[in-house]
Amino acid sequence: MFKKIISIVLAVMLVASMAVMAVYAADDSAAVGANSDSEAVGAADGDSVGADSGDDSSVGAGNKVYFEVNPSLWKNYKTITFFLVDHTTGDQIITWGSKKGNMTDEGNNIWSYDIDKLGVDLNSGVYGCNFTADWNAQTCDLIIGGPCIGDTASLTGDMVENNVDSNKTSYVVKWKNADQSKYAPPMQITSIGNVIGQAYWPGDDAYSMLVNFIKSDGKDGLANAIKFNGKTEQQTIDDTAIALGLGQDDIEKAIK
């Protein structure tokens, strides 16, 4: 009888032991499953973060603006440079040719410039910029403002008459995301009276541009244009007005 009781007890202990082992096995299996899931999530998250980091190098963090080089158009340069001017006062915030305009190579043909180091708030005031390859090959002027922070400017592949020197051409440039009706190559009358650009400077319109052209004695004025374009004053005024979309009444009013 005693031996029978011992056998029963041993059997019970054996069953209990097997149950405990089964529980541990289940826990270990769950732990392995969790580790496997963790590695998969980690890899996915890591890939995602890596991709985002790559994107951030071209569209940005902080108060940077970016320029994307088209290597088929701009070659054999060392540095991409940034030029900034206060349109209202005409002051060059970065002097033309200054190392202060050197941009930072972000890789993958993307260059950046940190606006913070200029102490300028692009949300207040009216500013224009352009980009160059070693201050040689250059883009046309481009209106820039607060909404352009973090945006990337790129070449369209088109060329346009340089607004200051008609013997030169500039590469047309545009922002990838900013409102093209406000932040685009500005409407300008060139040194020989031609009209280029896309967006008006704040406060400008076609009529005010024509009036300024007639009055100005600078390189953006009528007196300068007729020295080089081979046309009379009236021909130049008429052609410029038409290019601005103005009619005869506007021309007569502007002259007066």
Side-chain angles (χ1 to χ4, degrees):
M1 181 66 180
F2 179 77
K3 289 182 178 180
K4 187 176 181 179
I5 293 173
I6 293 296
S7 297
I8 292 172
V9 171
L10 289 173
V12 171
M13 291 176 64
L14 179 60
V15 171
S17 175
M18 291 177 67
V20 171
M21 290 175 66
V23 170
Y24 279 124
D27 288 345
D28 286 345
S29 175
V32 170
N35 287 342
S36 298
D37 291 343
S38 177
E39 288 176 4
V41 171
D45 289 346
D47 288 346
S48 176
V49 170
D52 289 343
S53 297
D55 290 343
D56 284 346
S57 69
S58 61
V59 179
N63 285 319
K64 294 181 180 180
V65 292
Y66 298 81
F67 178 74
E68 181 178 18
V69 176
N70 184 334
S72 66
L73 296 177
W74 284 11
K75 306 174 182 179
N76 302 320
Y77 64 87
K78 292 182 179 179
T79 305
I80 298 301
T81 57
F82 176 66
F83 176 72
L84 186 67
V85 62
D86 185 324
H87 175 69
T88 304
T89 64
D91 293 337
Q92 294 183 7
I93 298 171
I94 297 176
T95 305
W96 188 265
S98 170
K99 291 182 179 179
K100 186 177 181 180
N102 288 357
M103 300 184 76
T104 299
D105 187 354
E106 299 281 358
N108 297 321
N109 298 314
I110 300 294
W111 294 72
S112 69
Y113 195 90
D114 188 353
I115 300 295
D116 280 347
K117 64 185 181 182
L118 297 176
V120 172
D121 180 7
L122 294 182
N123 288 296
S124 61
V126 182
Y127 300 93
C129 71
N130 59 33
F131 303 87
T132 85
D134 299 326
W135 297 107
N136 294 319
Q138 70 177 75
T139 68
C140 64
D141 292 349
L142 183 63
I143 300 174
I144 183 174
C148 302
I149 293 293
D151 203 350
T152 302
S154 62
L155 304 176
T156 67
D158 296 326
M159 303 290 290
V160 68
E161 178 187 335
N162 183 282
N163 63 299
V164 176
D165 186 345
S166 62
N167 294 313
K168 298 179 180 179
T169 55
S170 301
Y171 290 84
V172 178
V173 64
K174 67 175 184 178
W175 296 109
K176 288 189 174 183
N177 300 304
D179 185 350
Q180 296 294 304
S181 68
K182 297 180 180 179
Y183 303 102
M187 293 287 289
Q188 295 173 307
I189 299 176
T190 72
S191 60
I192 57 175
N194 294 324
V195 176
I196 60 174
Q198 178 181 338
Y200 288 106
W201 290 105
D204 277 356
D205 56 24
Y207 180 75
S208 68
M209 286 181 63
L210 181 62
V211 171
N212 182 73
F213 175 64
I214 294 172
K215 292 170 59 176
S216 176
D217 56 3
K219 288 186 176 181
D220 61 344
L222 174 63
N224 182 78
I226 61 175
K227 293 179 182 178
F228 305 102
N229 65 12
K231 297 187 289 186
T232 66
E233 283 190 0
Q234 191 62 56
Q235 287 175 323
T236 300
I237 293 173
D238 291 347
D239 291 346
T240 301
I242 291 171
L244 287 168
L246 298 174
Q248 188 61 40
D249 290 344
D250 295 314
I251 294 173
E252 293 177 2
K253 181 180 176 183
I255 292 174
K256 292 179 181 179

